[in-house]
Amino acid sequence: MVVHGPHSDVPFYNLSTTWLSGSAEVNKQTTHEEGMAAVTAKSILFLEENQYSNFEWIGESEDGSLLCRWEEEVLVRGPVEGSSGEGGPEEGTSSLAFATQIAIATPDLHSTQVLYTFDKVVPVVQASVNASRNLLGFVTRRHIGETNKYAAYVAEIAPQGGVFSLNIDSSRQIFLEFLHTEESRKPVVDSWIAKLLVFVHRESISIYSFPLSLKDGASWVVDDLPLKDSVVRSFVWAQWEPRHNHLYYLHYRPPPEVGLTLGSGESEEDEMRPRPMLTALQFHPNKPHETVLNVPLELSGLEHSPMDLSGDYRDQGLLHSAGDAWLDLRVVTSPSGAVCICHHYIYKSRLAETPADPEGCEVYLAYSVTLLHHGCVLHSVVPGVPWGHAHSVLPTYSLFGEHYLLVIVPGVCMHMLDIGLDHLPNNHIVTTPPAQLLPNAQLYQIIGGKVTSGRSMTFIDGVNQMTVEVRVTKESLFSLFKSSPILSTRLAILHLTAVHDKDHDLSRKLMWSVCEDLYNLDTPALLQEYLVSETYAAVHKHIDSDAGHLISLLPITTAPFTSDTEYIESPVEENVRISYCFLENACIMLLSPRERVVRSLTDTWTKLWEHTSRRHHNRFSLTDVVDKLMVSLDTYKPEALSRGSTPVSPASPLVGGLTITSLGITLAHLMFDPLPFNEAENTTSSKLEHLLSVTLRELSMYCLKHFPHESPMRVHAVASKYVCAQLQVSRRLCSILCSSQTLIPTEKGEKGFSFIEQLDEAVANRLFTLLERYHSATEAVAYPLPQGYNSFLSYLAYRCLPYHVFMQYVRRGVLQLNVDVLREIIYDLDDSPKNVERKLEIISSVPVVRSLRALQYWQHPMSLILRSRLHAASILAGEGPGQPRTPTQSGRINAQHLQNKGLTAFPTADRLSPFDTFLDLLTAKANLTDIDVGLLYEGTIASCEYIKPIIENEITVTQG
């Protein structure tokens, strides 16, 4: 069942029917100079040049031309006062009087052409013109007592001729629309049929066929009574879409049978009550129309009669709809298959007190968007809107490109909803309307004019008679990104820039703005979104067409598809809330392409069928890789791995058999992303290689799990491209962050540790803070770090942080002390007692093999002691020499030591020394060639000379 209503956890009820409608201004309006759109409002040109009385817009043509009416003084003929009424020119006289004129404005609204001039004031509220512009259908509304009476007419306008009444007089709203499907292919003959759709609210929708004939070879006239064909018997609400020839109408259906409800504990009375259903009809040229869609809806307040909330209809010809004034419903469709059913409603909390003046009562303005292509309903609730404004405001829903639905509520909000077919609706941009948009505006989108770009839209303000141009530019997005405190909105802007626009320059600029506020808690989340979005965009751009189904499994955003999301606009007031619910047990009937009247036709409904019938899989989760790494890295020993044990080599440009240039990343492009460190690591195998191999394996297995019949080679190629893009995007982000804080060294300039030494202390601290955020962001989404980054960050931390804080980072595994970093730290610290303890603490915090290599750079007795002890311990434990030499080297060095020192080393009374005895024990465990006699000798000497004074001092202190 499709549900239209606010979140179930929020208490609410329908507004009291005793409240009066009104159009009060918003009491408290928040406007920002920064916004997601640049809005330009200006007066309509032909309205400035002329003076019109009671000007109104009454309809729209298929080509974007707009129908309008006004009252103007014209020369009319009337009967002579006291005349008998017989023929003769003396019977009539001419005089000036106000009369109604109906005209059509060009799509750019620069000029108008009068279609029909009445001889008196006629209360026309809506009109439609056929494609050939020789017939005009219009609706009048007259006040008779306390009720309104609607009537429908058709007039000949090429040239102006008679007016024919359709003999429909009703208190219900009437709406007319000419069908353009027949006229586009009319034969070149002397007669043809013009068809007119006639809507009578809650009564019927019919097609009137007018036979036309060519008179005098110049004008088309109606030569017979029209034929009437019923289309719909009764409806609550209806909408006509002239560009796609869609007809939507809302009607009641019988009570559902067992199994068609939500199963949420509804009472039997609620289950058996009639429920509304939305039906869509598709009209074809020279073919009968067909019912293509039936979907049940549940709309807030539909159980009330139309007179409960309003005693009048809203006659707005530009909406192409007829229905109750309180039922604000719109259907927006795109040729790509996106179908959005938009419903606007108002409610207030049960706990809220009703003030003496209902106009000032703050209510919740809400709207819901049913996304049939995603099978979910999106609810948006904006709190704190005065009742007078909330009741009179008219939201505008417009498709913005292929991926967004632009919702504008003047004086309240402006939202860009991510409703594209690529992924679930995760990323929405929420902001307040711009100051140029007046709070009482009623916007209607128009097609045509100068602005035809997909990033801009043109509206008419029907109240203030202005054109409003809304442009989403790079500057406006960047301005909103910097000023908005809402993390969800900032993530959505970054997602729009990277995935949909693929604007790498703007993405770089957005990341630079993130770097301006280093201590913002949202920084890691924004960095994660950049990594995931840019990687998806890079792979999508270079993926083969036959692997398009595999890219639907790749991560596209970090924003979760949650049931409830808050968009904070002010810390004092309540927040805008967007929530979702899935269509559970939805009884949706959609015609398959085989059941269509025209089977070869490709339109909105065939694409919707293809999208909904396709099996949709969950995207690959990077948190799975994080979980795998948490287990594997506990036993990960880089020094024990060989380069051949993993499929990716750090020193090679190949990733899974693919070169970097296979992604279109050339060497010239890489020169624009320099790094302040050398991209090399002095290890046989690195964590980078291990991480890429885990990601490659997990992604390949995930693709094969969901597409078991896919070729493993194709799966491996897609996974390899993704892993390669991960590495390059991570590298690019690191370069962006570094360049935002300091100058990047030139190609021939110094890099690495020398570059850090040249930095000012303040710059170094900011750079470390930013790179720490980057480090945590990559770990959260299992992204690789550039080669050489770990050493650069560790030495930068050593220079920036206090020693005890630096050691905390080391113990927690944030900083990796590679051999080159250890060497620099050992050289930097002197051999004072305090620094000796620090060196020992730092060296002991790394694996044994790495600590042995670091001790070789420390020319100190303690280094000899530790190396000799570790060497002897490894031999006694049967683990080998620890640092083996070649047999020739070991034999020559050991022979020299035995010849020079021999058995006279550390002599005793019986000419035997403990050292020589210890050597005898070692030779029993290992060959002499595996024993470093010189190291053991020097370590023993150092032990006696370095430790003995320390022990004597301790004994003296104790005895004293």
Side-chain angles (χ1 to χ4, degrees):
M1 180 67 62
V2 181
V3 180
H4 287 262
H7 196 269
S8 58
D9 295 339
V10 181
F12 63 92
Y13 66 98
N14 295 321
L15 289 172
S16 172
T17 58
T18 60
W19 283 19
L20 301 177
S21 62
S23 58
E25 298 267 330
V26 179
N27 296 333
K28 177 174 57 180
Q29 180 187 2
T30 303
T31 58
H32 298 282
E33 294 183 0
E34 300 86 357
M36 70 174 173
V39 177
T40 302
K42 58 183 179 180
S43 301
I44 300 174
L45 182 62
F46 71 86
L47 289 178
E48 285 187 330
E49 296 176 349
N50 301 276
Q51 295 295 328
Y52 297 111
S53 176
N54 297 329
F55 182 90
E56 288 185 4
W57 300 102
I58 57 175
E60 181 185 15
S61 183
E62 183 185 25
D63 61 355
S65 303
L66 301 183
L67 293 170
C68 55
R69 62 167 290 271
W70 66 82
E71 297 172 5
E72 187 177 351
E73 278 191 329
V74 296
L75 190 65
V76 298
R77 301 182 63 86
V80 177
E81 186 176 353
S83 172
S84 62
E86 297 181 358
E90 66 278 6
E91 284 188 334
T93 182
S94 299
S95 62
L96 288 175
F98 276 94
T100 299
Q101 297 203 36
I102 297 180
I104 187 168
T106 56
D108 56 11
L109 302 181
H110 283 175
S111 61
T112 59
Q113 176 188 355
V114 176
L115 296 179
Y116 200 91
T117 302
F118 295 92
D119 57 0
K120 59 181 178 180
V121 175
V122 179
V124 178
V125 293
Q126 189 266 327
S128 177
V129 65
N130 64 344
S132 302
R133 296 187 181 180
N134 47 33
L135 288 183
L136 173 70
F138 60 93
V139 178
T140 62
R141 183 180 66 177
R142 291 181 171 86
H143 298 282
I144 301 178
E146 296 181 355
T147 62
N148 293 322
K149 286 294 183 180
Y150 288 86
Y153 303 89
V154 173
E156 297 172 340
I157 59 176
Q160 180 169 327
V163 178
F164 306 93
S165 173
L166 298 184
N167 296 322
I168 303 176
D169 291 320
S170 174
S171 60
R172 305 287 188 181
Q173 185 181 27
I174 300 177
F175 178 71
L176 305 178
E177 284 285 354
F178 271 103
L179 284 175
H180 294 236
T181 55
E182 304 295 333
E183 299 185 35
S184 59
R185 296 186 180 184
K186 67 177 186 291
V188 185
V189 292
D190 294 340
S191 64
W192 57 283
I193 303 296
K195 294 188 176 183
L196 177 70
L197 274 174
V198 179
F199 300 73
V200 182
H201 182 228
R202 292 185 178 268
E203 293 184 7
S204 67
I205 300 178
S206 304
I207 295 181
Y208 283 71
S209 300
F210 290 87
L212 300 179
S213 61
L214 190 63
K215 181 180 180 181
D216 299 332
S219 61
W220 292 89
V221 296
V222 179
D223 60 359
D224 200 353
L225 294 177
L227 298 177
K228 179 181 178 182
D229 184 15
S230 178
V231 178
V232 177
R233 292 185 179 180
S234 178
F235 67 94
V236 179
W237 166 92
Q239 174 187 329
W240 171 252
E241 174 52 62
R243 293 172 185 84
H244 301 138
N245 296 313
H246 297 168
L247 171 62
Y248 307 97
Y249 67 95
L250 192 70
H251 60 99
Y252 287 104
R253 66 181 175 90
E257 298 179 1
V258 178
L260 294 182
T261 60
L262 283 172
S264 57
E266 297 184 23
S267 63
E268 294 184 2
E269 181 180 355
D270 292 336
E271 290 181 357
M272 296 307 296
R273 64 181 173 85
R275 296 175 184 260
M277 174 173 283
L278 180 71
T279 300
L281 303 181
Q282 178 68 61
F283 288 80
H284 303 283
N286 303 320
K287 295 285 184 180
H289 63 270
E290 57 181 336
T291 302
V292 291
L293 175 70
N294 279 303
V295 54
L297 301 179
E298 191 162 316
L299 306 177
S300 175
L302 192 60
E303 63 274 9
H304 294 278
S305 65
M307 300 302 293
D308 287 337
L309 294 179
S310 176
D312 202 355
Y313 287 101
R314 284 183 175 179
D315 294 307
Q316 295 159 332
L318 296 182
L319 288 180
H320 303 280
S321 64
D324 297 315
W326 57 270
L327 182 57
D328 192 357
L329 192 67
R330 298 292 298 166
V331 180
V332 181
T333 59
S334 71
S336 60
V339 178
C340 308
I341 306 172
C342 310
H343 175 224
H344 159 232
Y345 52 96
I346 307 168
Y347 69 94
K348 78 181 186 73
S349 172
R350 293 187 180 129
L351 303 178
E353 296 181 359
T354 303
D357 182 14
E359 295 288 332
C361 177
E362 291 189 348
V363 297
Y364 292 89
L365 187 146
Y367 66 87
S368 61
V369 181
T370 301
L371 306 176
L372 293 185
H373 50 287
H374 285 311
C376 69
V377 184
L378 181 152
H379 301 284
S380 178
V381 179
V382 183
V385 181
W387 156 252
H389 184 72
H391 178 72
S392 61
V393 74
L394 186 65
T396 301
Y397 312 93
S398 305
L399 286 175
F400 196 82
E402 297 182 359
H403 304 283
Y404 289 91
L405 178 71
L406 182 65
V407 182
I408 302 177
V409 186
V412 179
C413 63
M414 178 183 289
H415 298 168
M416 270 184 66
L417 305 180
D418 186 7
I419 53 90
L421 301 175
D422 293 344
H423 58 89
L424 292 174
N426 299 42
N427 299 276
H428 311 301
I429 304 177
V430 174
T431 184
T432 53
Q436 296 87 345
L437 193 61
L438 299 178
N440 65 338
Q442 290 186 357
L443 302 181
Y444 307 94
Q445 184 184 5
I446 59 175
I447 306 298
K450 296 181 179 180
V451 181
T452 58
S453 172
R455 299 305 302 270
S456 61
M457 310 177 72
T458 305
F459 300 89
I460 276 189
D461 183 353
V463 173
N464 304 293
Q465 303 304 341
M466 304 178 70
T467 58
V468 178
E469 182 183 344
V470 178
R471 302 183 309 278
V472 177
T473 61
K474 294 182 180 181
E475 293 75 14
S476 59
L477 286 175
F478 178 73
S479 178
L480 177 61
F481 184 86
K482 290 189 62 177
S483 61
S484 176
I486 309 172
L487 175 60
S488 302
T489 293
R490 302 184 77 191
L491 290 174
I493 295 175
L494 191 55
H495 172 82
L496 165 65
T497 303
V499 176
H500 299 309
D501 290 349
K502 297 181 176 58
D503 193 337
H504 304 302
D505 294 334
L506 182 56
S507 297
R508 180 190 298 268
K509 192 176 179 181
L510 295 178
M511 285 297 99
W512 277 340
S513 69
V514 170
C515 301
E516 295 176 2
D517 188 2
L518 299 178
Y519 301 100
N520 193 324
L521 298 179
D522 298 337
T523 299
L526 294 170
L527 299 181
Q528 294 171 28
E529 179 64 27
Y530 177 88
L531 292 171
V532 175
S533 299
E534 284 286 342
T535 303
Y536 179 86
V539 178
H540 185 272
K541 183 178 180 180
H542 299 92
I543 202 71
D544 297 332
S545 58
D546 55 355
H549 57 288
L550 293 177
I551 200 173
S552 64
L553 300 177
L554 300 181
I556 192 173
T557 182
T558 58
F561 183 72
T562 58
S563 60
D564 201 354
T565 304
E566 281 193 0
Y567 291 81
I568 302 174
E569 288 191 349
S570 173
V572 179
E573 302 175 356
E574 295 182 75
N575 304 325
V576 177
R577 185 180 298 274
I578 293 181
S579 59
Y580 307 89
C581 65
F582 286 97
L583 305 182
E584 301 178 3
N585 301 326
C587 181
I588 300 176
M589 189 280 288
L590 178 64
L591 283 187
S592 66
R594 293 183 179 181
E595 300 171 327
R596 299 288 302 277
V597 171
V598 184
R599 297 184 178 182
S600 60
L601 182 65
T602 300
D603 58 2
T604 300
W605 311 112
T606 56
K607 293 183 178 180
L608 178 61
W609 169 268
E610 293 173 359
H611 183 76
T612 55
S613 60
R614 188 185 309 124
R615 182 181 178 185
H616 298 280
H617 307 279
N618 294 330
R619 293 183 178 271
F620 178 68
S621 177
L622 293 172
T623 56
D624 295 340
V625 181
V626 176
D627 296 339
K628 292 285 184 180
L629 290 173
M630 289 181 64
V631 177
S632 62
L633 289 179
D634 287 340
T635 57
Y636 173 69
K637 296 181 179 180
E639 291 83 359
L641 293 177
S642 65
R643 180 165 294 174
S645 64
T646 52
V648 183
S649 173
S652 173
L654 296 178
V655 177
L658 297 172
T659 62
I660 292 176
T661 54
S662 65
L663 285 178
I665 306 175
T666 61
L667 293 177
H669 176 74
L670 294 179
M671 290 178 61
F672 291 102
D673 294 317
L675 291 172
F677 49 85
N678 297 312
E679 299 180 65
E681 293 182 355
N682 298 324
T683 57
T684 305
S685 179
S686 64
K687 182 180 177 181
L688 163 67
E689 192 169 342
H690 177 70
L691 189 152
L692 292 180
S693 65
V694 173
T695 305
L696 183 64
R697 180 178 66 252
E698 293 297 321
L699 181 56
S700 300
M701 294 296 294
Y702 190 84
C703 293
L704 289 175
K705 176 182 177 181
H706 288 83
F707 295 99
H709 302 293
E710 186 56 77
S711 168
M713 294 299 297
R714 181 175 298 167
V715 169
H716 180 73
V718 173
S720 299
K721 282 189 176 182
Y722 185 79
V723 170
C724 181
Q726 276 187 316
L727 182 60
Q728 296 305 315
V729 171
S730 179
R731 182 191 182 280
R732 186 191 311 158
L733 178 58
C734 183
S735 175
I736 293 173
L737 300 182
C738 292
S739 62
S740 68
Q741 298 301 313
T742 182
L743 295 176
I744 292 295
T746 60
E747 185 177 357
K748 297 182 179 180
E750 294 184 348
K751 293 185 178 182
F753 302 151
S754 301
F755 178 79
I756 295 175
E757 298 289 348
Q758 299 173 3
L759 296 178
D760 295 337
E761 182 179 357
V763 175
N765 288 330
R766 291 199 306 269
L767 182 59
F768 171 76
T769 302
L770 192 56
L771 291 183
E772 182 190 12
R773 304 291 191 273
Y774 165 71
H775 188 83
S776 63
T778 55
E779 286 193 340
V781 291
Y783 261 65
L785 295 167
Q787 296 182 75
Y789 170 83
N790 289 319
S791 300
F792 183 81
L793 180 65
S794 299
Y795 191 71
L796 182 63
Y798 168 74
R799 284 297 182 187
C800 296
L801 301 177
Y803 175 75
H804 68 280
V805 179
F806 171 75
M807 290 307 301
Q808 288 180 6
Y809 276 85
V810 173
R811 295 190 190 98
R812 294 292 183 264
V814 178
L815 301 177
Q816 296 183 14
L817 299 181
N818 294 330
V819 177
D820 48 356
V821 181
L822 292 172
R823 181 179 66 245
E824 292 296 327
I825 295 177
I826 289 172
Y827 288 161
D828 183 70
L829 295 175
D830 57 22
D831 290 335
S832 63
K834 181 179 180 180
N835 286 338
V836 168
E837 293 181 1
R838 289 185 173 183
K839 288 183 181 181
L840 292 176
E841 184 180 7
I842 293 174
I843 293 174
S844 62
S845 64
V846 300
V848 175
V849 178
R850 199 182 307 169
S851 63
L852 284 173
R853 295 181 60 188
L855 286 171
Q856 292 179 357
Y857 299 104
W858 188 17
Q859 303 300 322
H860 190 269
M862 186 56 69
S863 174
L864 293 173
I865 295 171
L866 293 176
R867 288 164 54 198
S868 62
R869 289 181 179 180
L870 290 173
H871 179 57
S874 63
I875 293 176
L876 293 175
E879 298 177 355
Q883 290 179 315
R885 296 191 179 98
T886 62
T888 305
Q889 290 176 336
S890 298
R892 183 176 65 254
I893 294 174
N894 292 340
Q896 292 176 357
H897 278 279
L898 291 175
Q899 181 179 1
N900 297 334
K901 307 297 181 183
L903 299 178
T904 62
F906 308 103
T908 59
D910 55 358
R911 306 298 297 170
L912 293 175
S913 68
F915 177 74
D916 294 324
T917 304
F918 184 64
L919 285 179
D920 292 339
L921 293 176
L922 291 180
T923 54
K925 298 288 291 185
N927 296 326
L928 187 61
T929 55
D930 294 333
I931 302 174
D932 193 343
V933 178
L935 176 61
L936 295 176
Y937 176 78
E938 294 173 358
T940 306
I941 295 294
S943 245
C944 295
E945 296 179 353
Y946 182 74
I947 298 179
K948 183 178 178 181
I950 299 176
I951 297 176
E952 291 178 350
N953 292 334
E954 293 179 354
I955 294 174
T956 303
V957 172
T958 303
Q959 292 177 351

